Amino acid sequence: MWSRELLKSNAKQCLSRTWKVSLLVIAANMVIGQGITFTFTYFNAGSASLSPNFWSIFSGSALVNVLVTIFLISPLRVGMFRYFMEARQGDAPFGSLFGAFHKGDYGNITLGLFLTHLKIALFSLLLVIPGIIKGYEYFLVPFLLAENPQMNYQRAQQLSRDIMRGEKWNLFVLEFSFFGWILLSSILIAILGALLSILVFPITFVIGALLSAYMSATFAEFYAAMREKAFAQNLSVPDELGGFIAY
């Protein structure tokens, strides 16, 4: 039986061994995602004073942000999850961050995540609560696709729903347990930013990376506990979830 204290303790032990590569993985994920967002914002602002052309229209559209999220940011998150699952077992390579981009895996992972996020968004249109519930039901989908990139998205959604039955509130409490750290980080960033305004960006980046690594390692531990639950309740078998062997 898992507990928040056990998950966080295991996460800290993992990070104590792998903190250099773990922070590098988090930093790369943040830089790539934020860098692309900044690039499109920059080109959009720069093209505002020019005559309308294809690039200015395309770069300024919300569609671009959606496409970047679907085809780049979401697969990167899957790779990040895979890295932290591998790191639980030993020294995981930095290249695991890009595991979702492997030939033969990328299309299935991208489609599965897109359709899962689309379903959550459609439920959110009904009312906020149904969307939140669906978000918790499908929380494990990225982890399942990280472990088995060839898993059909319907199966990933079904398995996530089955495993998360009775666990949604527990996951909410686990997430909320980070609120104190998030609040403390925000206060620390505000204070240091006021005192060292020129360093506000690197300070924010470093604190954000540290907190993100801690949370990601903890959620990897949560998935490991849910994986054991799936086997114990015959919801899945080792042939379907074969474990995380470092690339």
Side-chain angles (χ1 to χ4, degrees), residues 2-12 174 177 214:
W2 67 274
S3 66
R4 295 189 305 278
E5 293 76 15
L6 178 60
L7 298 189
K8 291 184 175 182
S9 176
N10 290 343
K12 292 173 184 176
L174 176 62
S177 69
Y214 180 33

Side-chain angles (χ1 to χ4, degrees), residues 69-121:
T69 299
I70 293 172
F71 292 107
L72 180 62
I73 295 177
S74 289
L76 273 178
R77 289 186 69 245
V78 170
M80 184 180 69
F81 293 149
R82 182 175 183 93
Y83 165 80
F84 279 100
M85 291 304 300
E86 292 175 2
R88 295 181 64 254
Q89 304 169 139
D91 295 330
F94 172 78
S96 294
L97 174 63
F98 305 102
F101 295 91
H102 283 194
K103 184 178 180 180
D105 296 341
Y106 176 73
N108 188 66
I109 290 174
T110 302
L111 177 63
L113 293 176
F114 168 70
L115 293 176
T116 299
H117 293 154
L118 179 62
K119 182 177 287 189
I120 294 172

Side-chain angles (χ1 to χ4, degrees), residues 11-27 83-84 87 91 209-210 213:
K12 292 173 184 176
Q13 291 181 24
C14 174
L15 290 175
S16 69
R17 292 185 294 100
T18 65
W19 67 271
K20 291 182 181 178
V21 181
S22 294
L23 288 179
L24 185 60
V25 166
I26 291 293
Y83 165 80
F84 279 100
D91 295 330
L210 289 170

Side-chain angles (χ1 to χ4, degrees), residues 159-176:
L159 186 54
S160 181
R161 285 197 306 270
D162 292 343
I163 298 174
M164 289 301 296
R165 188 169 292 116
E167 303 288 351
K168 290 185 281 292
W169 175 254
N170 296 329
L171 176 57
F172 169 78
V173 175
L174 176 62
E175 289 181 323
F176 190 76

Side-chain angles (χ1 to χ4, degrees), residues 4 11 16 31 43 54 58 82 85 112 121 129-131 136 151 157 164 184 187 202 234 242:
R4 295 189 305 278
S16 69
V31 166
F43 275 105
F54 175 80
F58 187 69
R82 182 175 183 93
M85 291 304 300
I129 299 301
Y136 281 110
M151 182 181 291
Q157 291 179 0
M164 289 301 296
L184 179 61
I187 294 174
N234 296 318

